[in-house]
């Protein structure tokens, strides 16, 4: 088992499935609508738990019906919710349009996630017991930085998914061990569109980088070592929502178990490939037995 703490968001995903996403000013008719528990933090927590990790979640849900369902989803997936707060008011929501090619566009409304501005009593103690802390950017940056600094104080590996993409303060990068952007986020952070060159630039700020490349796989780079590219399995994508979060959750489990980086990346890619073949976020994430069998 792997000790993973997740400091991150919980959202209810409001998903519309369409032939093509509407352009500005355009109205299209969708074929289906679903409400699916999600949020980058909760997604990574569920993905890691299903992949075999011992996972605890730090964050907040609202006092609405969505909050009840979000908490229930985490618990039923094996995630410890003792430090998941309930904030008065609405839970976070993500409004997602998924087209027939599996692509998506997303608008996130923070809701209760916006109340998580810092660690509260118990949070740092939990982080100290983990071997990995997973972070994303759907909480206020003050909380993300506080979590990363707590992890550094206790020798806990920090894995940061810089999404939604935004400029990152140097003090956060200084306490990040592994940065996992997709190619668009890597370009935003580095100002360089070419992933290998972007990775090289990012290594000036963090010791390790994994850039996820969608169907092209992933690129791993570490200071003082040759970069490593791992291809993704060939599959037909139905919905790419949460593929990156599934990858990160599985990667955290694999690295926590001491697997070599290349093996960990291959295993995480297999998990993400299973995810994109199913609709939704938490509903699409594979279990360990499925990843091992793929």
């Amino acid at each position: 088992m792997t000790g993973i703490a997740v400091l991150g968001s919980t959202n209810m995903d409001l998903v519309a499935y369409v032939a093509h996403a509407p352009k500005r000013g355009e109205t299209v008719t969708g074929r289906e609508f679903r409400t699916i528990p999600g949020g980058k933090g909760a997604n990574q927590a569920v993905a890691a738990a299903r992949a075999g990790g011992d996972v605890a979640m730090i964050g907040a849900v609202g006092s609405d019906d969505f909050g009840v369902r979000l908490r229930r989803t985490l618990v039923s997936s094996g995630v410890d919710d003792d430090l998941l707060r309930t904030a008065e008011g609405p839970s976070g929501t993500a409004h997602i349009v998924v087209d027939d090619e599996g692509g998506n566009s997303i608008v996130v409304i923070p809701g209760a996630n916006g109340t998580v501005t810092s660690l509260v009593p118990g949070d740092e103690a939990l982080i100290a017991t983990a071997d990995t802390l997973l972070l994303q950017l759907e909480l206020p940056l003050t909380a993300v930085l506080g979590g990363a600094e707590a992890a550094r104080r206790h020798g806990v590996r920090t894995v940061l998914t810089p999404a939604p993409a935004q400029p990152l303060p140097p003090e956060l990068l200084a306490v990040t061990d592994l940065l996992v952007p997709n190619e668009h986020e890597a370009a935003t952070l580095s100002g360089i569109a070419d992933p290998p060159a972007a990775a090289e630039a990012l290594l000036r700020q963090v010791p390790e980088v994994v850039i996820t490349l969608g169907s092209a796989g992933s690129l791993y780079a570490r200071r003082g070592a040759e970069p490593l590219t791992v291809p993704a399995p060939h599959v037909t994508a139905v919905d790419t929502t949460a593929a990156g979060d599934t990858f990160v959750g599985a990667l955290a489990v694999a690295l926590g178990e001491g697997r070599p980086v290349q093996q960990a990346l291959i295993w995480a890619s297999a998990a993400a490939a299973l995810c994109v073949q199913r609709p939704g976020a938490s509903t699409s994430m594979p279990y360990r037995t499925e990843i091992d069998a793929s």
Side-chain angles (χ1 to χ4, degrees):
M1 299 290 279
T2 297
I4 297 172
V6 181
L7 174 60
S9 58
T10 57
N11 294 322
M12 185 61 74
D13 292 348
L14 312 177
V15 189
Y17 294 91
V18 299
H20 70 272
K23 301 180 179 66
R24 185 174 183 178
E26 180 185 14
T27 299
V28 300
T29 298
R31 66 174 181 277
E32 187 179 2
F33 173 76
R34 295 184 182 183
T35 57
I36 303 172
K40 295 197 72 63
N43 286 344
Q44 291 185 5
V46 169
R50 291 186 179 180
D54 180 12
V55 184
M57 181 80 193
I58 303 171
V61 296
S63 56
D64 54 3
D65 290 342
F66 284 165
V68 174
R69 187 173 164 196
L70 289 166
R71 186 181 294 275
R72 186 187 308 131
T73 297
L74 286 164
V75 172
S76 66
S77 295
V79 177
D80 184 327
D81 71 332
D82 284 354
L83 292 178
L84 182 64
R85 316 167 199 175
T86 298
E88 191 63 34
S91 298
T93 53
H95 304 254
I96 305 174
V97 175
V98 179
D99 63 33
D100 278 352
E101 295 181 357
N104 63 62
S105 55
I106 304 173
V107 176
V108 174
I109 310 297
N113 298 304
T115 69
V116 185
T117 57
S118 62
L119 300 185
V120 298
D123 291 349
E124 182 162 347
L126 173 64
I127 291 169
T129 66
D131 61 53
T132 302
L133 174 66
L134 300 184
L135 300 162
Q136 320 78 33
L137 300 179
E138 288 184 344
L139 295 183
L141 271 177
T142 51
V144 178
L145 177 58
E149 289 175 336
R152 180 56 57 92
R153 283 193 291 272
H154 296 283
V156 176
R157 179 204 296 263
T158 54
V159 179
L160 173 63
T161 303
Q166 58 185 280
L168 296 180
E171 56 267 34
L172 176 57
L173 291 167
V175 288
T176 295
D177 296 309
L178 173 61
L179 186 70
V180 190
N182 64 26
E183 54 191 315
H184 307 295
E185 293 152 2
T188 298
L189 292 175
S190 66
I192 301 170
D194 177 61
E200 184 177 347
L202 292 170
L203 287 180
R204 300 188 194 112
Q205 300 172 289
V206 295
E208 290 182 281
V209 176
V210 174
I211 300 179
T212 57
L213 306 171
S215 61
S218 59
L219 170 69
Y220 170 77
R222 177 171 59 87
R223 290 174 183 167
E226 285 295 313
L228 172 67
T229 301
V230 172
H234 265 309
V235 298
T236 299
V238 171
D239 182 356
T240 58
T241 305
D245 295 327
T246 299
F247 178 92
V248 170
L251 181 64
V253 172
L255 293 175
E257 292 174 348
R259 302 191 195 196
V261 168
Q262 185 169 11
Q263 290 182 21
L265 291 169
I266 291 171
W267 200 69
S269 293
L274 289 166
C275 170
V276 302
Q277 295 177 74
R278 307 165 181 172
S282 59
T283 51
S284 68
M285 294 172 175
Y287 289 87
R288 187 181 185 97
T289 52
E290 297 176 284
I291 304 170
D292 287 340
S294 65

